[in-house]
Amino acid sequence: MIVYTLVHLSFAFNFQDSVADIVWALVWILQHKSEAVLSIAANVVVKLIRIIPNSILQPYSLYLVHPLASLLSSCRMEVSIACATALNIILSNLSATREKSVWEILSETKTVFLIVSGIREFSGGPMSTEYFQEMASLLSTILQKWSASRFSVWNDTKLMEVLEAMHENPDVSIKVALLKLYSGIALCGNGAMKLLQNGEALLQMMVLCMGGSRHLSVQMEAFRLAQRLATNKQGCLKMLSLCCEPIVKAIIDGMTGWTLSSGKIANDEMSLLVEACRLALIIRWDGEHHDYFWKKGIDKVLLDLLLEKFQNGQSVHLLTLEEQMSEAQEVLNADVLLVLRPYMWDILGWLAMYCREDFNPNIHSHELLIDMLIRCACLTFTDSVRKGWQICQSDLSETFRSESASRAVLMMIYSPCKYIASKARSMLSEILKPTGKEYLKHSLRVLNFTLTRDNFGIPDMLQTGINLVALTCCACLPWYRSYIVKSEGVKTLLAFIKWCLSNDVHIGRLSFAPHLHNIFSQRLCCWVCKEDWEGNDILLLYGLWGLAELLHYGSISKNVDIFSGQVEYTEAQFVRMLQEICSDNSALGLKWNAAYILSYFGFYGFPCKLGRRIGKALDENEFADTRIILAKGESMSVHGVVLAIRCPSLLPPEELSHDEKASDGSSYLHTFKKDIRLSSHVDNQALSKLLEFVYLGYLHASDEHVKKLKILAKHCSLQPLSTMLGRRRPKWGTLFPIYDLTPALAPTGHHFSDIILKPKETESICWKCRTCSLSLPHMHAHKVVLSSSCDYLRALFQSGMRESRSQTIEVPVSWEAMIKLVNWFYTDELSKPPSGCLWDNMDDEEKLHQLQQYLELCWLAEFWFLEDVQDISYKVIVSCLDSARQLSIKIIKIASELSLWKLAEVAANYLAPFYRQLCHTGDLEALNEELVDMIRDASVRLSQEG
């Protein structure tokens, strides 16, 4: 009867009305797991899914997921293979609205565990190739769609060993499945770094698969895997450190292995070209791979893609400039390879931005190639500005391409390479000659109009960005720079910067660059991109950049007050705004441009919160242990620990005296008093300003002091300060100097220690100090650092009471919490608990242990008046509770014991939906009546709010 039913079903595939009956019949057969027909039924499911359109089958396919997943571990391999194939097709075509429901089924049936177990037991038998291919393909689909599945895969050591053993398998289907599986793992940042930890074998296999002799599908998956591993700078540089030149060669080969037939490229070649160009964007980070790209002729590759006539060896070196312009414009107007142009412009821009100052184009290429690339970019850029508001919605794709070209021109104009920068400027000037003034008028009108608008869509943002780039490019061309200033362009930029900050306008370049998106970009997890120079404020970055360049080239006379007539936005307010940008979590590019602009207002350096706190001690003798004596007998009292970390050149390299123990032998205190005599060449005012930088992180000086400061900063090896004093624009991608005093916590800093911090009793920690004989966990700290950041400790040290004379302070928190607190004192950063999949896969006990530390800090911060620590700790606890609500019972109990009622209220709100359930299970019995009432009240409020 069952066999008859299956045969009947196989003939009924074309009847749409029968789909529901067919599905239910198959579900029934699969659930009963009759060995006689399981194999037939599983294969019928595969045929059903492949024949019936997904739009018809989608409403019913969900019911097949559970039985198919349950049979993945079948002892009959043909059943497992058929179920894996069918399930993979269903999941690949799954709509986003059904993903949550399907994941619940996959979790219930332990699908990932079953697949991983099956692959781990992979024996290489006669049917094993097909089995591995289908299982690996299904697992990669799951990894791509559900981030929660990734940890258990990349954290399985045995599985990783099995996968590595498969590297040498020559089968194309195996290679594709293997590369897809690695790509799924690499969607998780933690998983990618695990792959790269000992990744020589993996990367060697990946690079070989990129080769032109490989099957196209293998090449495509290899390029995609490399893109996943290079999602952020850390992963990219780790990958390149293991196989830099082979990866660059593979990219160049992928970008050149194409042929043009009747003005078109075959679809498969175009797909490979796109993947190669996407991987070539690793050039957005500095490194030795840039040299390899130049050696492999990246300029010729780009020109061949841009101007296909270069493929035929056609030369333009005999043409006049006007003829060359016409030649370039003609090819740019063609519609060949338009999809690749945004990638080409981006690659060209990054090549220019990271190019060396003395780069000679004739070493690795011919200057004709670079000149032609620059000319084409400038033509595309000026066309985009000329069209301006004429761009309609149907032309949006062209505008996106124009944005990439505009950005490339900006990067070439401000390239550190003298050749590229000079060529770009001269060509842009030549192209702008007929209508440059009109371009600038239009750009200023666009920006001024933007300031009056409330609604601001992506097309408007895009045009605003292009016009900001236009102003910034023209700011380095003398005639246009003067026109910008005369047209009050500086005030327009100031107003635009204020508008961005006041309206909280945040938009990243990804919004302007759809070519940087792919189907996996929204599926990433656990990746951290702190080193992003642009961040999510690209318009603000362009505005600051343009203003910085106008200031740099001296277009604004000192006699002209750029803030005149502005009541709401004074110079002092502008300076404070720039200092805030330097101090907060803004992107590195914003910080550098803000610091650079500040130098034109007499502020040199890098403002930060910790510097402002430590700066309080600059003019105080409290806790000072070192005296600087100048030749004329003038002296300054300073703190040795600050000098030792921030400016060690001021301390002579003398041998430090031996350790000393306190009279009771229980703790260590070193009395370090030293006089430092400086030569007669050191100016008192210059030294005072230098110390201002050492303590505060920045200084305020007039032009007359800058010359002496430059000399002193150079002798003291303060390179970042020298850069600011010389008003040299920092290289793109340069890290922003961090105010970090943590080296003072190392043994070398113990020589300056005048206080010891001890946590609550910790018996489980084995302890041995290299500095003193104290046998319990402790930290050697410095009163000047602690008192600068904590008014409570400052008052304690100055109180004259017994505690103020003690060499030891007991900090009433655990050892782990105290470490976090001390690091905050010395860095202004409070370390966060593990996040992403690392947090999600912790057990409740470990999660509670992590949160306990922040609860302690929240309590101590209230007692010690540390508002920043309390605020950060509170946010960490709330954020973690949001993903671990099951801890709320324990958190509310601990919070009440510490009188942290605000946190107790948060926990009560998380418990409110489950109040009645908790009453029935007895979980509330561990709480006192006050807390139970708090949860009940929260439950009532929740029900009243619906």
Side-chain angles (χ1 to χ4, degrees):
M1 182 63 183
I2 296 176
V3 175
Y4 173 82
T5 303
L6 291 174
V7 174
H8 174 72
L9 292 175
S10 65
F11 283 101
F13 285 161
N14 293 327
F15 298 97
Q16 181 174 342
D17 296 339
S18 304
V19 171
D21 295 332
I22 295 172
V23 171
W24 282 116
L26 287 171
V27 169
W28 183 86
I29 296 170
L30 293 172
Q31 285 177 338
H32 282 73
K33 300 181 181 179
S34 173
E35 292 293 332
V37 294
L38 268 182
S39 179
I40 300 174
N43 282 295
V44 168
V45 172
V46 174
K47 291 180 181 179
L48 178 77
I49 296 171
R50 285 176 173 167
I51 293 175
I52 296 182
N54 184 61
S55 58
I56 298 175
L57 190 61
Q58 182 82 214
Y60 312 104
S61 59
L62 189 63
Y63 301 109
L64 289 165
V65 174
H66 194 290
L68 290 172
S70 301
L71 289 169
L72 291 174
S73 59
S74 173
C75 59
R76 298 180 63 179
M77 189 171 288
E78 66 272 17
V79 174
S80 297
I81 292 174
C83 289
T85 303
L87 194 55
N88 194 16
I89 297 173
I90 292 173
L91 299 185
S92 298
N93 295 313
L94 192 67
S95 63
T97 56
R98 294 173 176 263
E99 287 186 2
K100 183 179 180 181
S101 300
V102 171
W103 176 243
E104 290 174 354
I105 298 173
L106 298 179
S107 299
E108 179 186 345
T109 55
K110 298 182 179 179
T111 302
V112 174
F113 173 78
L114 295 177
I115 298 172
V116 170
S117 299
I119 295 176
R120 286 177 59 176
E121 296 171 6
F122 178 64
S123 60
M127 294 186 66
S128 58
T129 297
E130 185 182 2
Y131 178 84
F132 176 83
Q133 175 192 347
E134 295 301 331
M135 287 295 179
S137 181
L138 172 59
L139 184 56
S140 66
T141 300
I142 294 173
L143 293 174
Q144 289 165 13
K145 286 186 174 294
W146 293 284
S147 60
S149 65
R150 296 166 190 163
F151 177 84
S152 60
V153 178
W154 66 257
N155 198 45
D156 192 312
T157 305
K158 176 63 176 175
L159 175 65
M160 293 296 104
E161 292 174 356
V162 172
L163 296 183
E164 186 171 345
M166 298 296 297
H167 289 181
E168 302 301 324
N169 193 309
D171 189 280
V172 170
S173 61
I174 292 291
K175 276 286 191 288
V176 170
L178 188 61
L179 290 166
K180 280 186 176 180
L181 186 50
Y182 278 132
S183 290
I185 293 172
L187 288 172
C188 172
N190 295 322
M193 296 314 296
K194 182 68 177 288
L195 293 178
L196 290 170
Q197 279 178 7
N198 299 296
E200 291 88 348
L202 168 62
L203 294 179
Q204 184 179 9
M205 182 270 292
M206 181 187 74
V207 172
L208 287 174
C209 289
M210 290 180 186
S213 61
R214 298 286 178 166
H215 192 276
L216 179 66
S217 60
V218 175
Q219 285 184 278
M220 296 278 286
E221 294 304 329
F223 274 108
R224 287 169 182 162
L225 172 58
Q227 292 168 31
R228 300 286 80 72
L229 295 174
T231 294
N232 70 1
K233 184 178 182 180
Q234 182 185 6
C236 178
L237 296 186
K238 176 64 176 177
M239 180 178 73
L240 293 175
S241 69
L242 297 173
C243 55
C244 184
E245 188 172 8
I247 286 181
V248 173
K249 182 180 183 303
I251 293 172
I252 295 296
D253 290 345
M255 294 174 69
T256 54
W258 58 280
T259 54
L260 199 65
S261 177
S262 301
K264 295 183 179 180
I265 295 179
N267 290 337
D268 56 351
E269 289 186 350
M270 177 60 78
S271 298
L272 184 62
L273 260 175
V274 171
E275 298 301 337
C277 287
R278 280 178 177 162
L279 183 55
L281 293 178
I282 60 174
I283 214 161
R284 65 188 180 275
W285 291 303
D286 196 10
E288 63 175 346
H289 54 294
H290 277 257
D291 292 333
Y292 287 120
F293 271 108
W294 284 116
K295 288 178 182 178
K296 298 294 181 182
I298 184 63
D299 48 350
K300 176 65 164 62
V301 173
L302 292 176
L303 207 53
D304 283 346
L305 290 171
L306 189 64
L307 310 175
E308 69 277 5
K309 292 186 179 181
F310 270 67
Q311 283 276 103
N312 303 321
Q314 194 173 44
S315 176
V316 295
H317 69 280
L318 299 178
L319 301 178
T320 65
L321 178 60
E322 185 176 349
E323 290 171 334
Q324 290 179 33
M325 293 283 191
S326 177
E327 177 80 8
Q329 187 67 66
E330 178 184 346
V331 182
L332 286 172
N333 290 337
D335 60 355
V336 179
L337 301 180
L338 289 180
V339 70
L340 295 180
R341 288 191 184 176
Y343 298 103
M344 292 185 278
W345 296 136
D346 277 0
I347 293 168
L348 179 61
W350 293 121
L351 284 170
M353 188 52 76
Y354 287 119
C355 198
R356 295 174 182 169
E357 182 178 348
D358 57 352
F359 173 78
N360 184 348
N362 288 318
I363 293 179
H364 301 305
S365 59
H366 194 283
E367 64 182 64
L368 170 66
L369 303 178
I370 295 179
D371 290 358
M372 196 64 175
L373 284 170
I374 296 173
R375 186 174 297 113
C376 289
C378 289
L379 284 170
T380 304
F381 167 49
T382 51
D383 278 352
S384 68
V385 178
R386 175 178 54 81
K387 292 175 182 178
W389 281 352
Q390 299 172 9
I391 298 294
C392 61
Q393 195 66 29
S394 61
D395 297 322
L396 196 55
S397 59
E398 181 182 344
T399 314
F400 282 130
R401 291 193 295 271
S402 300
E403 186 275 339
S404 295
S406 305
R407 180 185 169 86
V409 173
L410 179 70
M411 289 179 153
M412 288 188 292
I413 281 179
Y414 293 108
S415 169
C417 171
K418 293 181 179 179
Y419 178 85
I420 292 177
S422 62
K423 281 288 182 181
R425 293 173 187 184
S426 62
M427 287 184 185
L428 183 61
S429 295
E430 189 68 27
I431 294 172
L432 285 174
K433 271 184 180 178
T435 54
K437 184 177 179 181
E438 294 303 316
Y439 285 3
L440 286 178
K441 277 184 179 179
H442 172 72
S443 296
L444 289 170
R445 280 199 304 268
V446 169
L447 294 179
N448 285 316
F449 182 70
T450 298
L451 302 178
T452 64
R453 301 189 63 181
D454 295 326
N455 297 322
F456 209 54
I458 290 300
D460 302 308
M461 294 267 194
L462 189 54
Q463 281 301 320
T464 299
I466 291 175
N467 284 283
L468 278 170
V469 169
L471 281 180
T472 306
C473 288
C474 292
C476 69
L477 307 177
W479 187 90
Y480 298 105
R481 185 166 61 239
S482 300
Y483 180 80
I484 293 172
V485 175
K486 291 177 182 177
S487 303
E488 296 192 330
V490 176
K491 288 190 177 182
T492 297
L493 286 175
L494 281 171
F496 183 81
I497 292 168
K498 183 189 176 187
W499 178 81
C500 286
L501 294 169
S502 302
N503 291 277
D504 208 24
V505 176
H506 300 290
I507 184 168
R509 188 175 176 245
L510 281 176
S511 299
F512 295 163
H515 64 286
L516 299 180
H517 293 272
N518 55 57
I519 58 175
F520 301 120
S521 60
Q522 303 302 320
R523 302 282 186 175
L524 297 173
C525 70
C526 304
W527 280 100
V528 179
C529 300
K530 287 184 177 179
E531 67 282 345
D532 186 2
W533 227 70
E534 299 175 23
N536 292 317
D537 295 287
I538 191 69
L539 295 180
L540 179 58
L541 176 62
Y542 288 155
L544 290 172
W545 191 344
L547 180 60
E549 293 310 320
L550 290 173
L551 292 168
H552 173 70
Y553 285 103
S555 296
I556 302 173
S557 171
K558 294 181 180 179
N559 298 323
V560 177
D561 183 6
I562 60 177
F563 294 94
S564 63
Q566 299 193 46
V567 179
E568 297 180 356
Y569 205 38
T570 64
E571 179 176 332
Q573 290 173 317
F574 184 60
V575 166
R576 283 197 299 273
M577 178 273 293
L578 294 175
Q579 290 176 336
E580 284 301 315
I581 291 176
C582 293
S583 301
D584 62 20
N585 294 320
S586 299
L588 299 181
L590 291 180
K591 287 175 176 282
W592 270 114
N593 276 284
Y596 185 76
I597 294 173
L598 280 171
S599 67
Y600 290 92
F601 293 91
F603 294 89
Y604 301 88
F606 316 96
C608 63
K609 292 181 180 178
L610 181 57
R612 286 199 290 268
R613 298 204 303 260
I614 300 298
K616 297 174 185 176
L618 177 59
D619 297 320
E620 298 179 0
N621 293 329
E622 193 76 27
F623 315 125
D625 53 13
T626 302
R627 186 171 55 176
I628 298 179
I629 303 175
L630 287 89
K632 295 181 180 181
E634 301 165 307
S635 65
M636 301 178 185
S637 296
V638 293
H639 305 83
V641 65
V642 178
L643 263 61
I645 306 305
R646 297 278 298 155
C647 187
S649 299
L650 283 178
L651 291 175
E654 297 177 2
E655 183 180 355
L656 298 171
S657 56
H658 296 291
D659 298 342
E660 298 176 1
K661 292 182 180 178
S663 57
D664 61 2
S666 62
S667 60
Y668 164 83
L669 175 64
H670 189 86
T671 304
F672 188 89
K673 296 289 184 182
K674 179 177 286 293
D675 286 345
I676 301 174
R677 298 185 181 274
L678 302 181
S679 73
S680 58
H681 298 290
V682 179
D683 179 75
N684 181 27
Q685 289 184 326
L687 179 61
S688 297
K689 289 298 176 183
L690 186 76
L691 290 175
E692 187 177 329
F693 171 80
V694 169
Y695 277 77
L696 283 166
Y698 70 97
L699 59 90
H700 187 208
S702 60
D703 291 343
E704 60 185 274
H705 294 138
V706 168
K707 185 175 181 180
K708 294 179 181 179
L709 270 170
K710 285 182 183 178
I711 299 172
L712 191 55
K714 182 178 179 180
H715 282 294
C716 291
S717 303
L718 296 175
Q719 183 56 44
L721 177 60
S722 296
T723 298
M724 284 291 100
L725 290 170
R727 288 175 179 159
R728 297 191 296 275
R729 172 165 281 284
K731 186 177 179 181
W732 184 284
T734 305
L735 294 177
F736 197 74
I738 299 174
Y739 198 120
D740 184 6
L741 297 177
T742 50
L745 297 172
T748 53
H750 294 175
H751 296 289
F752 301 96
S753 174
D754 50 5
I755 194 69
I756 289 176
L757 303 178
K758 292 170 57 179
K760 290 190 298 188
E761 291 295 329
T762 310
E763 298 179 358
S764 60
I765 299 178
C766 298
W767 185 262
K768 185 176 181 181
C769 183
R770 288 187 292 175
T771 302
C772 70
S773 59
L774 199 62
S775 58
L776 294 175
H778 62 277
M779 296 184 77
H780 294 269
H782 311 82
K783 289 183 178 180
V784 61
V785 177
L786 302 180
S787 63
S788 296
S789 298
C790 180
D791 291 338
Y792 171 84
L793 291 178
R794 183 180 184 85
L796 178 66
F797 294 148
Q798 296 176 345
S799 66
M801 297 187 295
R802 179 175 60 85
E803 290 85 353
S804 67
R805 296 188 296 272
S806 175
Q807 300 171 9
T808 302
I809 290 182
E810 293 189 3
V811 184
V813 294
S814 65
W815 170 247
E816 294 91 342
M818 193 183 83
I819 290 176
K820 287 181 169 59
L821 177 63
V822 173
N823 281 332
W824 177 83
F825 278 123
Y826 285 75
T827 65
D828 192 48
E829 292 186 3
L830 196 64
S831 61
K832 308 291 174 58
S835 60
C837 61
L838 297 178
W839 169 263
D840 294 336
N841 288 278
M842 280 184 188
D843 58 37
D844 286 351
E845 184 177 350
E846 177 58 25
K847 287 180 179 178
L848 185 63
H849 176 71
Q850 292 284 341
L851 292 183
Q852 175 83 34
Q853 301 166 35
Y854 296 95
L855 284 161
E856 294 178 54
L857 290 175
C858 213
W859 166 78
L860 183 65
E862 187 173 352
F863 182 46
W864 280 12
F865 309 111
L866 299 172
E867 293 183 6
D868 287 349
V869 173
Q870 187 176 36
D871 184 54
I872 297 171
S873 300
Y874 174 82
K875 289 178 180 177
V876 167
I877 296 167
V878 172
S879 175
C880 291
L881 268 183
D882 196 45
S883 60
R885 299 191 177 204
Q886 69 276 13
L887 300 178
S888 298
I889 284 281
K890 295 180 179 179
I891 293 298
I892 195 172
K893 189 173 185 297
I894 298 172
S896 67
E897 292 170 353
L898 297 174
S899 298
L900 298 173
W901 299 112
K902 185 179 177 182
L903 278 173
E905 285 283 355
V906 171
N909 289 331
Y910 280 127
L911 292 169
F914 315 104
Y915 172 69
R916 294 189 180 280
Q917 179 183 341
L918 294 170
C919 289
H920 290 307
T921 58
D923 290 333
L924 297 180
E925 293 177 1
L927 306 179
N928 61 40
E929 187 176 344
E930 184 180 6
L931 295 179
V932 174
D933 290 342
M934 187 181 295
I935 299 170
R936 182 171 56 249
D937 292 343
S939 177
V940 171
R941 287 196 303 271
L942 183 64
S943 63
Q944 290 174 344
E945 293 169 1

